Amino acid sequence: MAWYPGATRMELQPESDAQPAITPTQFIVHSIAAPWTKERIYEYWRDSTNLESHFGQSYDGSIAQFIGTQTRADANFLANRRPDGTGAVSIETASNLHHTDPWTPEQVEGLIRLGLWLHRTHDIPLRICRTSEDPGYGYHRLHAAWSDGGTACPGDARVKQFRETVFPAIVARATGQPTTPAPTAPTQEDPVPSMLNLSNSVDYDLTGGAWTTLAFATDGVIHPGPRRHLTLVHLLFDPLLVETEIEGRYYLTDADGANRSNYLPTLIRAAGGEGVGGYQFSCTGDVPAGRTLRYEVRVTTPDGTPARLLHRTASGPYWAL
């Protein structure tokens, strides 16, 4: 594990030892939407959530490191650790409650020094990440795959500082060249997603062992194409019998429901016992033009009786293709 000598070491356990190794290829900066010190950021990661960043920064520019940079930290969604073992190094920086304020001069200097160390230590290339998997430097909202549901982090003021001050200074100090603004054409931000929010609270008795397409609004369509989506279906049942199985799957059809094709393999969720009633099924991908995304569920109870579905929702970000 690599530890930045310019940071105070405040190691998070068990995450620091238990989480898998990464090869660092990106540096992603965040605003934490709170005027916290690095010590308070550490306490929040330790006591209040199972997420964490590698670093935290106070308004005075001082930095703490919570996890070694060659260990996964969970602040960047799909960039935390990829199937090939590469991942992003992350820092949460103090901000106002809506992350609309600029970084202080001390924060800017701290980010530049850390960015320079990451280049020299891990050979992170001196460019702004062109795609979500491209090695380099970036900020949280730059690419949609770096957040679950889209984000404005670190805020407009800080994005401007990153492009005009922080990143150019990292390049200048690494190369000994004059500071110049970073080029923007190859590194445009991903589009801000729209948000899906469908729900249906009409009670529905599901026949035991039969697949049933669910309607979340007026029909069974969750997404019409062309769209890219990350969708979460949540189902709430009356208490289920022990050993009940809940299965769910997404599929594609034409707009009229014809020409069905399975979209994902069946996802199986076994009930944990009587009294357990909430289940979630996620799916991400593209819906082509002329096609629609739908969802169906099958409940198999040990005695073959129906299961009562009380509430269903479909939510998540999506982008036009």
Side-chain angles (χ1 to χ4, degrees):
M1 295 188 292
W3 293 87
Y4 174 45
T8 301
R9 183 165 171 169
M10 300 179 181
E11 191 168 1
L12 283 170
Q13 290 291 1
E15 293 86 351
S16 185
D17 290 338
Q19 293 181 173
I22 63 168
T23 300
T25 60
Q26 297 171 324
F27 180 41
I28 301 175
V29 297
H30 301 243
S31 294
I32 201 165
W36 290 346
T37 63
K38 61 186 185 295
E39 292 83 5
R40 179 65 184 90
I41 296 171
Y42 166 75
E43 291 169 355
Y44 178 69
W45 293 147
R46 184 192 64 191
D47 301 334
S48 303
T49 178
N50 60 356
L51 302 177
E52 70 284 318
S53 56
H54 289 94
F55 296 93
Q57 187 188 45
S58 307
Y59 271 129
D60 65 7
S62 61
I63 293 174
Q65 185 170 356
F66 312 129
I67 290 181
T69 52
Q70 291 167 294
T71 300
R72 188 197 75 201
D74 296 330
N76 307 294
F77 195 40
L78 299 183
N80 294 333
R81 187 181 189 275
R82 301 183 180 85
D84 65 359
T86 63
V89 175
S90 53
I91 185 169
E92 289 283 358
T93 60
S95 71
N96 64 25
L97 297 179
H98 303 287
H99 50 65
T100 56
D101 57 335
W103 285 308
T104 66
E106 294 80 7
Q107 285 179 303
V108 167
E109 179 61 23
L111 291 172
I112 293 169
R113 292 182 181 182
L114 176 56
L116 179 61
W117 179 81
L118 289 168
H119 168 68
R120 291 174 173 171
T121 304
H122 298 302
D123 200 28
I124 295 178
L126 298 170
R127 63 172 178 257
I128 298 178
C129 301
R130 298 163 294 188
T131 68
S132 63
E133 298 188 4
D134 183 45
Y137 294 74
Y139 45 88
H140 196 197
R141 80 184 195 196
L142 179 61
H143 294 296
W146 293 353
S147 64
D148 183 4
T151 180
C153 173
D156 292 344
R158 296 183 178 197
V159 168
K160 187 175 190 302
Q161 286 176 297
F162 177 88
R163 288 186 172 273
E164 296 181 358
T165 304
V166 174
F167 179 70
I170 293 171
V171 175
R173 295 189 194 183
T175 61
Q177 301 298 316
T179 301
T180 56
T184 58
T187 57
Q188 293 298 316
E189 293 181 15
D190 287 351
V192 176
S194 301
M195 295 301 296
L196 177 74
N197 188 11
L198 303 176
S199 65
N200 190 325
S201 58
V202 176
D203 290 358
Y204 192 89
D205 287 330
L206 294 170
T207 301
W211 284 104
T212 303
T213 297
L214 297 181
F216 294 87
T218 57
D219 56 25
V221 175
I222 297 176
H223 282 296
R227 285 182 181 178
R228 175 162 295 155
H229 71 96
L230 192 161
T231 302
L232 180 70
V233 162
H234 180 85
L235 307 177
L236 180 64
F237 290 88
D238 257 348
L240 298 168
L241 297 174
V242 175
E243 298 181 357
T244 296
E245 286 191 342
I246 310 296
E247 301 170 85
R249 62 189 177 194
Y250 296 83
Y251 63 97
L252 297 175
T253 72
D254 291 343
D256 62 0
N259 297 319
R260 170 193 172 115
S261 60
N262 282 343
Y263 193 59
L264 275 184
T266 301
L267 302 175
I268 300 177
R269 298 289 184 270
E274 189 171 356
V276 177
Y279 298 86
Q280 293 184 342
F281 301 84
S282 62
C283 177
T284 184
D286 294 346
V287 182
R291 302 283 279 170
T292 62
L293 178 72
R294 302 169 190 248
Y295 172 86
E296 63 182 357
V297 66
R298 179 168 65 184
V299 181
T300 305
T301 57
D303 60 0
T305 58
R308 173 154 292 190
L309 178 63
L310 303 178
H311 192 73
R312 68 208 94 147
T313 64
S315 61
Y318 64 90
W319 300 261
L321 292 176

